[in-house]
Amino acid sequence: MWKVNCPVSLVAGLLAMLFTVPSLSMANECLPPFDNVKHQYIVGYGNMHYEPAITSTSVGFEPGVPVWVDGFRRGWLTRTSHANHIKVTDLGVIPLVGGRFNGVLIAMPANMLKSMDRQQKRTCRVLVNPRQLTPMNNEEMPKDSQFWLYQTQNKYHDRPAGSYPIVMSDVDEFLTGCIEQSERFGLKSFAQECVATTWNWSSHWVNDRLHPLKVKPAQIRRQQVDVLLGSLEGNLYEQIRAE
């Protein structure tokens, strides 16, 4: 039998590599490294349109350019369980050839981007090609920058259902933010596009306005939100509103 004399320190180092490399690889797949030299931007597409929601996370809020985002679909498609055991279907984004939705580029310093990463439980940060982003106004795309989008992980991707409904508190927050950005950029159609380019509006939808599930619900634009939702096909919102 061959006997190999190997220093203990070398063996320990090899074992450390054996057990740590896979975990690092898995982490990088969902939260890939970014270029510290370039400016970093997040594509906001949901509650990141709503300024108080971002401010409360201590991440900061610097909306830059309203954009069309190609190659992805936004919809009610992220199954989530909150700390109070309430199950809902949140907004999310998945890749889709021919897909398009409107969003906002948000400047994100590197340290803040890492903070955002720590908050993500059901999404992965993916790099968006600048050619997939088209300004909706006369602004120019930022130069020397990387653009990221938080994409729903496959295992959490599904349609709304009775046990995982859409919640009106989330809808109000999303569309209130869209109205705010519409006014900020002087784009009358921005808020309308938020409704039109969002998929999976469903009858599995709970109206919690009287007893909000969120501590600080966004209800200051209720009438404007109601007008936007009136464009949904089949009088869907009228059925929800009557609850």
mmCIF file of all heavy atoms in Angstrom, residues 3-30:
data_model
loop_
_atom_site.group_PDB
_atom_site.id
_atom_site.type_symbol
_atom_site.label_atom_id
_atom_site.label_comp_id
_atom_site.label_asym_id
_atom_site.label_seq_id
_atom_site.Cartn_x
_atom_site.Cartn_y
_atom_site.Cartn_z
ATOM 1 N N LYS A 3 1.970 4.967 0.783
ATOM 2 C CA LYS A 3 1.782 5.886 1.891
ATOM 3 C C LYS A 3 2.273 7.260 1.469
ATOM 4 O O LYS A 3 3.401 7.419 1.021
ATOM 5 C CB LYS A 3 2.566 5.413 3.126
ATOM 6 C CG LYS A 3 2.341 6.304 4.344
ATOM 7 C CD LYS A 3 3.072 5.756 5.544
ATOM 8 C CE LYS A 3 2.856 6.623 6.761
ATOM 9 N NZ LYS A 3 3.560 6.119 7.954
ATOM 10 N N VAL A 4 1.386 8.232 1.570
ATOM 11 C CA VAL A 4 1.748 9.588 1.161
ATOM 12 C C VAL A 4 1.830 10.469 2.387
ATOM 13 O O VAL A 4 0.884 10.547 3.173
ATOM 14 C CB VAL A 4 0.689 10.155 0.187
ATOM 15 C CG1 VAL A 4 1.064 11.578 -0.214
ATOM 16 C CG2 VAL A 4 0.574 9.263 -1.040
ATOM 17 N N ASN A 5 2.976 11.101 2.573
ATOM 18 C CA ASN A 5 3.130 12.037 3.682
ATOM 19 C C ASN A 5 2.651 13.420 3.239
ATOM 20 O O ASN A 5 3.197 14.008 2.320
ATOM 21 C CB ASN A 5 4.608 12.125 4.102
ATOM 22 C CG ASN A 5 5.086 10.825 4.709
ATOM 23 O OD1 ASN A 5 4.337 10.186 5.452
ATOM 24 N ND2 ASN A 5 6.314 10.429 4.406
ATOM 25 N N CYS A 6 1.606 13.892 3.877
ATOM 26 C CA CYS A 6 1.002 15.165 3.487
ATOM 27 C C CYS A 6 0.856 16.037 4.723
ATOM 28 O O CYS A 6 0.312 15.590 5.731
ATOM 29 C CB CYS A 6 -0.370 14.899 2.880
ATOM 30 S SG CYS A 6 -0.912 16.192 1.774
ATOM 31 N N PRO A 7 1.338 17.262 4.709
ATOM 32 C CA PRO A 7 1.229 18.147 5.876
ATOM 33 C C PRO A 7 -0.226 18.313 6.291
ATOM 34 O O PRO A 7 -1.123 18.403 5.451
ATOM 35 C CB PRO A 7 1.816 19.476 5.363
ATOM 36 C CG PRO A 7 2.676 19.111 4.209
ATOM 37 C CD PRO A 7 2.031 17.915 3.589
ATOM 38 N N VAL A 8 -0.438 18.350 7.601
ATOM 39 C CA VAL A 8 -1.789 18.522 8.136
ATOM 40 C C VAL A 8 -2.417 19.804 7.624
ATOM 41 O O VAL A 8 -3.598 19.852 7.294
ATOM 42 C CB VAL A 8 -1.764 18.530 9.684
ATOM 43 C CG1 VAL A 8 -3.148 18.856 10.247
ATOM 44 C CG2 VAL A 8 -1.276 17.194 10.208
ATOM 45 N N SER A 9 -1.642 20.879 7.533
ATOM 46 C CA SER A 9 -2.169 22.168 7.084
ATOM 47 C C SER A 9 -2.685 22.085 5.658
ATOM 48 O O SER A 9 -3.693 22.699 5.301
ATOM 49 C CB SER A 9 -1.098 23.253 7.196
ATOM 50 O OG SER A 9 0.019 22.912 6.403
ATOM 51 N N LEU A 10 -1.982 21.295 4.805
ATOM 52 C CA LEU A 10 -2.415 21.146 3.426
ATOM 53 C C LEU A 10 -3.739 20.409 3.345
ATOM 54 O O LEU A 10 -4.641 20.770 2.592
ATOM 55 C CB LEU A 10 -1.334 20.424 2.618
ATOM 56 C CG LEU A 10 -1.671 20.140 1.145
ATOM 57 C CD1 LEU A 10 -1.943 21.455 0.416
ATOM 58 C CD2 LEU A 10 -0.526 19.388 0.469
ATOM 59 N N VAL A 11 -3.851 19.329 4.137
ATOM 60 C CA VAL A 11 -5.091 18.552 4.164
ATOM 61 C C VAL A 11 -6.257 19.428 4.609
ATOM 62 O O VAL A 11 -7.341 19.412 4.032
ATOM 63 C CB VAL A 11 -4.949 17.341 5.108
ATOM 64 C CG1 VAL A 11 -6.298 16.630 5.253
ATOM 65 C CG2 VAL A 11 -3.900 16.381 4.572
ATOM 66 N N ALA A 12 -6.013 20.220 5.654
ATOM 67 C CA ALA A 12 -7.068 21.098 6.169
ATOM 68 C C ALA A 12 -7.492 22.102 5.115
ATOM 69 O O ALA A 12 -8.677 22.397 4.941
ATOM 70 C CB ALA A 12 -6.584 21.829 7.422
ATOM 71 N N GLY A 13 -6.495 22.609 4.371
ATOM 72 C CA GLY A 13 -6.817 23.585 3.327
ATOM 73 C C GLY A 13 -7.643 22.977 2.224
ATOM 74 O O GLY A 13 -8.595 23.570 1.724
ATOM 75 N N LEU A 14 -7.305 21.745 1.814
ATOM 76 C CA LEU A 14 -8.055 21.061 0.765
ATOM 77 C C LEU A 14 -9.485 20.776 1.198
ATOM 78 O O LEU A 14 -10.430 20.912 0.423
ATOM 79 C CB LEU A 14 -7.344 19.757 0.387
ATOM 80 C CG LEU A 14 -6.008 19.916 -0.350
ATOM 81 C CD1 LEU A 14 -5.323 18.554 -0.497
ATOM 82 C CD2 LEU A 14 -6.229 20.546 -1.721
ATOM 83 N N LEU A 15 -9.642 20.353 2.461
ATOM 84 C CA LEU A 15 -10.987 20.086 2.971
ATOM 85 C C LEU A 15 -11.814 21.370 3.012
ATOM 86 O O LEU A 15 -13.010 21.366 2.702
ATOM 87 C CB LEU A 15 -10.906 19.476 4.379
ATOM 88 C CG LEU A 15 -10.414 18.035 4.449
ATOM 89 C CD1 LEU A 15 -10.233 17.597 5.903
ATOM 90 C CD2 LEU A 15 -11.388 17.094 3.737
ATOM 91 N N ALA A 16 -11.177 22.477 3.391
ATOM 92 C CA ALA A 16 -11.893 23.751 3.441
ATOM 93 C C ALA A 16 -12.376 24.147 2.054
ATOM 94 O O ALA A 16 -13.511 24.594 1.866
ATOM 95 C CB ALA A 16 -10.987 24.845 4.008
ATOM 96 N N MET A 17 -11.511 23.944 1.045
ATOM 97 C CA MET A 17 -11.907 24.264 -0.321
ATOM 98 C C MET A 17 -13.047 23.371 -0.785
ATOM 99 O O MET A 17 -13.981 23.809 -1.451
ATOM 100 C CB MET A 17 -10.713 24.104 -1.269
ATOM 101 C CG MET A 17 -9.633 25.154 -1.074
ATOM 102 S SD MET A 17 -8.217 24.857 -2.152
ATOM 103 C CE MET A 17 -8.993 24.999 -3.765
ATOM 104 N N LEU A 18 -12.985 22.094 -0.402
ATOM 105 C CA LEU A 18 -13.998 21.126 -0.810
ATOM 106 C C LEU A 18 -15.375 21.533 -0.335
ATOM 107 O O LEU A 18 -16.371 21.412 -1.050
ATOM 108 C CB LEU A 18 -13.621 19.744 -0.274
ATOM 109 C CG LEU A 18 -14.620 18.602 -0.576
ATOM 110 C CD1 LEU A 18 -14.700 18.360 -2.075
ATOM 111 C CD2 LEU A 18 -14.206 17.338 0.158
ATOM 112 N N PHE A 19 -15.456 22.031 0.901
ATOM 113 C CA PHE A 19 -16.763 22.314 1.494
ATOM 114 C C PHE A 19 -17.225 23.757 1.295
ATOM 115 O O PHE A 19 -18.403 24.046 1.434
ATOM 116 C CB PHE A 19 -16.749 21.991 2.990
ATOM 117 C CG PHE A 19 -16.721 20.514 3.262
ATOM 118 C CD1 PHE A 19 -15.546 19.898 3.673
ATOM 119 C CD2 PHE A 19 -17.844 19.742 3.065
ATOM 120 C CE1 PHE A 19 -15.508 18.529 3.905
ATOM 121 C CE2 PHE A 19 -17.813 18.373 3.300
ATOM 122 C CZ PHE A 19 -16.638 17.762 3.722
ATOM 123 N N THR A 20 -16.309 24.669 0.973
ATOM 124 C CA THR A 20 -16.734 26.071 0.849
ATOM 125 C C THR A 20 -16.974 26.503 -0.584
ATOM 126 O O THR A 20 -17.830 27.334 -0.833
ATOM 127 C CB THR A 20 -15.682 27.008 1.466
ATOM 128 O OG1 THR A 20 -14.426 26.817 0.795
ATOM 129 C CG2 THR A 20 -15.525 26.765 2.939
ATOM 130 N N VAL A 21 -16.262 25.939 -1.544
ATOM 131 C CA VAL A 21 -16.418 26.373 -2.927
ATOM 132 C C VAL A 21 -17.834 26.204 -3.454
ATOM 133 O O VAL A 21 -18.393 27.112 -4.045
ATOM 134 C CB VAL A 21 -15.399 25.647 -3.842
ATOM 135 C CG1 VAL A 21 -15.726 25.900 -5.303
ATOM 136 C CG2 VAL A 21 -13.991 26.138 -3.523
ATOM 137 N N PRO A 22 -18.509 25.039 -3.248
ATOM 138 C CA PRO A 22 -19.868 24.902 -3.752
ATOM 139 C C PRO A 22 -20.814 25.953 -3.204
ATOM 140 O O PRO A 22 -21.650 26.487 -3.914
ATOM 141 C CB PRO A 22 -20.269 23.497 -3.302
ATOM 142 C CG PRO A 22 -18.978 22.761 -3.153
ATOM 143 C CD PRO A 22 -18.018 23.796 -2.631
ATOM 144 N N SER A 23 -20.729 26.276 -1.910
ATOM 145 C CA SER A 23 -21.656 27.238 -1.324
ATOM 146 C C SER A 23 -21.426 28.618 -1.916
ATOM 147 O O SER A 23 -22.363 29.362 -2.174
ATOM 148 C CB SER A 23 -21.487 27.287 0.202
ATOM 149 O OG SER A 23 -20.174 27.687 0.545
ATOM 150 N N LEU A 24 -20.152 28.991 -2.169
ATOM 151 C CA LEU A 24 -19.875 30.268 -2.780
ATOM 152 C C LEU A 24 -20.424 30.307 -4.191
ATOM 153 O O LEU A 24 -20.975 31.305 -4.636
ATOM 154 C CB LEU A 24 -18.359 30.516 -2.796
ATOM 155 C CG LEU A 24 -17.712 30.867 -1.457
ATOM 156 C CD1 LEU A 24 -16.202 30.910 -1.601
ATOM 157 C CD2 LEU A 24 -18.216 32.208 -0.949
ATOM 158 N N SER A 25 -20.288 29.199 -4.898
ATOM 159 C CA SER A 25 -20.784 29.130 -6.266
ATOM 160 C C SER A 25 -22.291 29.311 -6.307
ATOM 161 O O SER A 25 -22.827 30.025 -7.135
ATOM 162 C CB SER A 25 -20.394 27.787 -6.890
ATOM 163 O OG SER A 25 -20.948 27.663 -8.179
ATOM 164 N N MET A 26 -22.990 28.654 -5.372
ATOM 165 C CA MET A 26 -24.440 28.762 -5.336
ATOM 166 C C MET A 26 -24.871 30.187 -5.034
ATOM 167 O O MET A 26 -25.812 30.708 -5.605
ATOM 168 C CB MET A 26 -25.010 27.812 -4.289
ATOM 169 C CG MET A 26 -24.918 26.353 -4.668
ATOM 170 S SD MET A 26 -25.518 25.272 -3.360
ATOM 171 C CE MET A 26 -27.248 25.733 -3.307
ATOM 172 N N ALA A 27 -24.144 30.857 -4.122
ATOM 173 C CA ALA A 27 -24.491 32.227 -3.766
ATOM 174 C C ALA A 27 -24.307 33.144 -4.966
ATOM 175 O O ALA A 27 -25.106 34.030 -5.219
ATOM 176 C CB ALA A 27 -23.636 32.695 -2.599
ATOM 177 N N ASN A 28 -23.236 32.934 -5.722
ATOM 178 C CA ASN A 28 -22.949 33.784 -6.858
ATOM 179 C C ASN A 28 -23.959 33.608 -7.979
ATOM 180 O O ASN A 28 -24.172 34.521 -8.770
ATOM 181 C CB ASN A 28 -21.533 33.517 -7.384
ATOM 182 C CG ASN A 28 -20.476 34.040 -6.426
ATOM 183 O OD1 ASN A 28 -20.752 34.916 -5.622
ATOM 184 N ND2 ASN A 28 -19.281 33.495 -6.505
ATOM 185 N N GLU A 29 -24.557 32.435 -8.087
ATOM 186 C CA GLU A 29 -25.554 32.217 -9.119
ATOM 187 C C GLU A 29 -26.759 33.119 -8.910
ATOM 188 O O GLU A 29 -27.358 33.608 -9.863
ATOM 189 C CB GLU A 29 -26.009 30.747 -9.123
ATOM 190 C CG GLU A 29 -24.974 29.783 -9.688
ATOM 191 C CD GLU A 29 -25.459 28.347 -9.664
ATOM 192 O OE1 GLU A 29 -26.652 28.146 -9.338
ATOM 193 O OE2 GLU A 29 -24.670 27.452 -9.982
ATOM 194 N N CYS A 30 -27.144 33.337 -7.670
ATOM 195 C CA CYS A 30 -28.321 34.149 -7.375
ATOM 196 C C CYS A 30 -27.969 35.617 -7.167
ATOM 197 O O CYS A 30 -28.761 36.503 -7.469
ATOM 198 C CB CYS A 30 -29.021 33.592 -6.135
ATOM 199 S SG CYS A 30 -30.696 34.240 -5.887
#
